[in-house]
Amino acid sequence: MGFKLDSVSLKKQDKAILKDINLDIPIGSVFVLIGPSGSGKSSLLRLLNRLDEPTAGRILYKDQPIEFYPVQELRKEVGMLFQNPVMVGGTVKDNIALGLKLQKKDLSYEKVVGLLKRVGLEKEIIDKDASVLSGGQKQRVALARVLANDPKVLLLDEPTSALDPGAVLQVKETLIEQAKNGLTLIWVTHDMDIASEVATNGALLVSGKVVVSGNQEELFHGNNQIAQTFFKGELKESE
Amino acid sequence: MNNQISNLTFILSWSFIGIAMMITLWQGLKMDKDILISAIRAFLQLFVTGYLLQFVFNAESYYLTAAVLLFMTIVAGRDASKRGKGLPHAFQIVTLSIGLGEIVTLGILLLIKVISFSPSEAIPLSGMILGNSMIAASLALERLKSSMAQRKNEVEALLALGATPRQASSNALRETLRAAIIPTVDRLKTMGIVSLPGMMSGLILAGQAPTEAVKYQIIVMFMLTLTVSVTSTAIGLFAYKGYFTNYWGLKEEVIAVGSNLDKAKK
């Protein structure tokens, strides 16, 4: 098992964000987290690399409590891509080499070129100022930066929602490539087309609770009433 | 200029306040009461301080001098830490940082024999050191707060890549130090051209030759540059930890409290 969430709850300023979540996220899956905005999808994702801690329950990763792993090691193995890619100052290469630089290591030119290729970018941009790239390019540089840490799992927090339509397609395809290479993807999205296209497994969250979870068939074609209302587009905001 | 101020002259100096009050009355600012009360407060505070200092100077005791310096440091720490609202242990962090600035600067002044540890020398100089230290501390706290709020996404992206809190906040820390130190450096640049600083003016008024007064002023400006650097660096290095949980996440409640961005949104 990749991740196992056992009665996980999260409160912030006395507001219940997640309520008694039980989930299994298998290794090698593309696990989508869907639900109305404010349903707790991103909050759940942030628990998996310990950017936040649950207020109750426990999270297992590879059958060990998540606290068992040194947090730095966990975050290298469980990488994260955010909605808005942040480029730190410098070139594309500087950005991609950042994770290793934090560990006082160097990333060779060849490896940077390899990573650029892996995310579908031309090697000509390697010395370009990262801040002038387009949104889609930035997101793919951010992905290459995460991949440089050689992660086994990618946490994706709406990685395409801030991009223009053309870039959405490129980033989505690049991410699917990573899944084919054996990475586990845990993908928060509000885009049902993406969700149904990429998911092998997933869960629907409404108001901080898991309404339905399982493989693609169980998620999208089960007979849960709330789920069907949501897929019809009649369930917009969480209470 | 007389070195002794006569009582009559002193009483007549209230005419400054009287005229200022009349101007505000004339302009309909409703500040006359405020000016009068503030002036009386300043008058009483300075008089009490004058008599207390006279007492401490006459006592010539190391312990008493040290106690006065400690008291001044704590008051400075309490005042400056108001800018750190929401930050855990703000008072301790600020007082310690201001204290460090004071100890290092006063230590060097004693070591190179600019002054001796006598109350009439150590206390007024410490007043200058602590005053500047306080301003640097406030600037540093303000900037750290706004930088961390502004750079929240960057900090989290770095943490998620495996950065330590120190690494993740390094840009915010750099901004903090620059913001706290720049005003002092700028003041150094224009010193003697734009403004004749207070200490030098005071010495000249008290009858010192300008060439002698200049020497003191140079030492004071140099020492304040050090004070400000030490205090703001200490603030940055002690305070950034307050923004992080012990498992290296960002404390959202600390980021949110009192940040300018947050206020702007509301």
Side-chain angles (χ1 to χ4, degrees), chain B residues 121-214:
Chain B
E121 294 179 10
I123 292 175
L125 272 175
S126 292
M128 281 191 244
I129 296 171
L130 290 171
N132 281 270
S133 215
M134 249 173 76
I135 295 170
S138 297
L139 283 174
L141 284 172
E142 278 286 326
R143 181 49 74 98
L144 185 63
K145 216 186 283 181
S146 60
S147 276
M148 288 297 281
Q150 247 164 17
R151 294 181 173 273
K152 182 173 175 267
N153 288 346
E154 174 191 299
V155 173
E156 286 211 313
L158 284 163
L159 287 175
L161 271 180
T164 62
R166 175 82 175 81
Q167 289 172 324
S169 48
S170 65
N171 280 333
L173 279 176
R174 258 196 295 276
E175 278 177 3
T176 299
L177 297 195
R178 285 179 61 87
I181 296 171
I182 279 175
T184 307
V185 177
D186 282 350
R187 209 152 44 126
L188 273 181
K189 286 181 202 156
T190 58
M191 193 55 42
I193 304 171
V194 177
S195 63
L196 283 186
M199 186 191 192
M200 190 168 144
S201 310
L203 284 172
I204 295 172
L205 282 175
Q208 279 268 15
T211 45
E212 273 306 299
V214 158

Side-chain angles (χ1 to χ4, degrees), chain A residues 24-218:
Chain A
D24 289 331
I25 303 175
I27 281 180
S29 62
V30 178
F31 194 99
V32 296
L33 284 166
I34 52 178
S37 54
S39 59
K41 309 179 295 281
S42 294
S43 300
L44 196 158
L45 198 70
R46 293 166 58 86
L47 298 179
L48 303 180
N49 67 349
R50 298 189 75 196
L51 281 182
D52 282 321
E53 292 278 271
T55 29
R58 56 180 202 152
I59 300 172
L60 302 180
Y61 175 58
K62 293 195 292 193
D63 303 320
Q64 294 280 4
I66 200 171
E67 300 83 18
F68 168 83
Y69 305 94
V71 68
Q72 246 172 328
E73 296 308 312
L74 178 81
R75 285 174 183 166
K76 278 187 256 164
E77 187 162 327
V78 181
M80 187 165 189
L81 209 55
F82 297 85
Q83 187 172 0
N84 293 302
V86 182
M87 296 290 105
V88 297
T91 63
V92 168
K93 180 179 185 294
D94 294 336
N95 270 278
I96 294 176
L98 186 63
L100 279 130
K101 198 180 153 205
L102 293 171
Q103 305 159 44
K104 312 260 184 297
K105 289 180 200 160
D106 278 333
L107 192 64
S108 70
Y109 183 85
E110 289 71 30
K111 284 208 171 133
V112 177
V113 171
L115 285 162
L116 281 173
K117 200 176 161 203
R118 201 170 152 190
V119 298
L121 289 171
E122 302 292 330
K123 73 173 181 188
E124 280 67 34
I125 69 162
I126 192 164
D127 290 319
K128 220 173 165 182
D129 178 0
S131 64
V132 304
L133 299 178
S134 71
Q137 285 176 319
K138 278 184 186 166
Q139 192 60 293
R140 283 185 285 171
V141 169
L143 175 63
R145 183 167 70 190
V146 175
L147 292 176
N149 270 342
D150 198 16
K152 305 285 180 285
V153 180
L154 287 180
L155 307 177
L156 308 170
D157 191 2
E158 308 236 23
T160 59
S161 66
L163 305 179
D164 57 73
V168 169
L169 195 70
Q170 289 168 338
V171 170
K172 186 182 72 182
E173 278 171 4
T174 309
L175 287 167
I176 293 170
E177 273 310 301
Q178 311 314 314
K180 285 181 189 155
N181 289 334
L183 266 79
T184 305
L185 306 188
I186 306 175
W187 195 326
V188 168
T189 181
H190 65 263
D191 184 329
M192 282 308 114
D193 292 336
I194 289 183
S196 56
E197 184 188 340
V198 302
T200 61
N201 304 68
L204 168 64
L205 264 72
V206 177
S207 304
K209 285 187 197 156
V210 172
V211 172
V212 57
S213 70
N215 62 28
Q216 206 211 26
E217 181 66 23
E218 290 161 328

Side-chain angles (χ1 to χ4, degrees), chain B residues 74-137:
Chain B
I74 291 171
V75 174
R78 221 192 66 159
D79 210 61
S81 63
K82 285 177 191 153
R83 303 278 176 161
K85 197 178 149 223
L87 187 75
H89 313 299
F91 170 67
Q92 288 92 324
I93 287 171
V94 172
T95 309
L96 190 63
S97 304
I98 290 178
L100 271 176
E102 159 83 5
I103 289 170
V104 172
T105 315
L106 200 63
I108 295 177
L109 286 174
L110 291 170
L111 206 70
I112 64 172
K113 298 202 165 71
V114 176
I115 58 164
S116 61
F117 195 63
S118 68
S120 62
E121 294 179 10
I123 292 175
L125 272 175
S126 292
M128 281 191 244
I129 296 171
L130 290 171
N132 281 270
S133 215
M134 249 173 76
I135 295 170

Side-chain angles (χ1 to χ4, degrees), chain B residues 5 7-19 43:
Chain B
I5 294 171
N7 286 339
L8 181 66
T9 310
F10 190 64
I11 289 165
L12 286 176
S13 71
W14 280 91
S15 59
F16 291 123
I17 297 299
I19 296 170
F43 174 83

Side-chain angles (χ1 to χ4, degrees), chain B residues 56 61-74 117 123:
Chain B
V56 177
S61 150
Y62 283 167
Y63 295 115
L64 191 57
T65 308
V68 170
L69 296 184
L70 184 66
F71 174 75
M72 287 163 72
T73 307
I74 291 171
F117 195 63
I123 292 175

